[in-house]
Amino acid sequence: MSSDNKEEVMHLAGVGQGLMEAAFALVITRKYMGEGDNESVLTKRRFSVIERSLLHFEQNIARFSHCDISLGTIIVAVALDYLAFRLPELGVAKQYSALEAWRAGVANRPSFKTTAFG
């Protein structure tokens, strides 16, 4: 993927944004509804979005892992950091090792280090 490939950048941005929204919704639901909401249809759908997104990224890592940073890769990296921070019980780093290696590389960039939350 070159930096001129707007379609790929927007694809990554879209899937990454969906991942972030599903993760954020899970965290907020748990905060206000408690763990008892884990069986609701919406919660199951959010988990499904997260799983499908992570699997998609893991299976397609070669398409964006060797590229320079873009809006799409930033959104994906931030979403993965959010999952690691707020939903560590999902075990994303262990289940998706190639994706985790890519995320760790992006997180080591000076721009990410100086703006990291936590």
Side-chain angles (χ1 to χ4, degrees):
M1 177 178 79
S2 72
S3 61
D4 294 334
N5 192 344
K6 293 178 183 110
E7 293 84 11
E8 186 68 22
V9 170
M10 294 309 292
H11 170 77
L12 286 172
V15 178
Q17 182 66 32
L19 174 61
M20 177 64 90
E21 288 176 6
F24 182 77
L26 273 177
V27 170
I28 294 302
T29 299
R30 285 180 175 179
K31 180 176 181 178
Y32 292 103
M33 304 293 282
E35 294 289 327
D37 193 53
N38 279 344
E39 296 302 315
S40 76
V41 172
L42 283 176
T43 297
K44 289 177 182 179
R45 289 181 75 181
R46 290 173 182 138
F47 276 117
S48 178
V49 167
I50 291 170
E51 290 173 10
R52 286 191 327 264
S53 298
L54 292 170
L55 183 60
H56 173 75
F57 288 136
E58 179 82 2
Q59 291 175 341
N60 294 284
I61 193 83
R63 290 173 58 185
F64 63 91
S65 64
H66 64 283
C67 301
D68 197 18
I69 202 82
S70 72
L71 173 66
T73 55
I74 290 169
I75 291 172
V76 172
V78 170
L80 293 172
D81 271 356
Y82 185 80
L83 284 171
F85 183 67
R86 294 288 184 192
L87 297 166
E89 69 275 12
L90 297 181
V92 173
K94 290 179 184 173
Q95 280 189 291
Y96 304 94
S97 57
L99 190 56
E100 173 56 21
W102 173 82
R103 186 213 57 81
V106 172
N108 279 326
R109 294 174 64 98
S111 57
F112 271 75
K113 284 183 175 182
T114 59
T115 59
F117 58 86

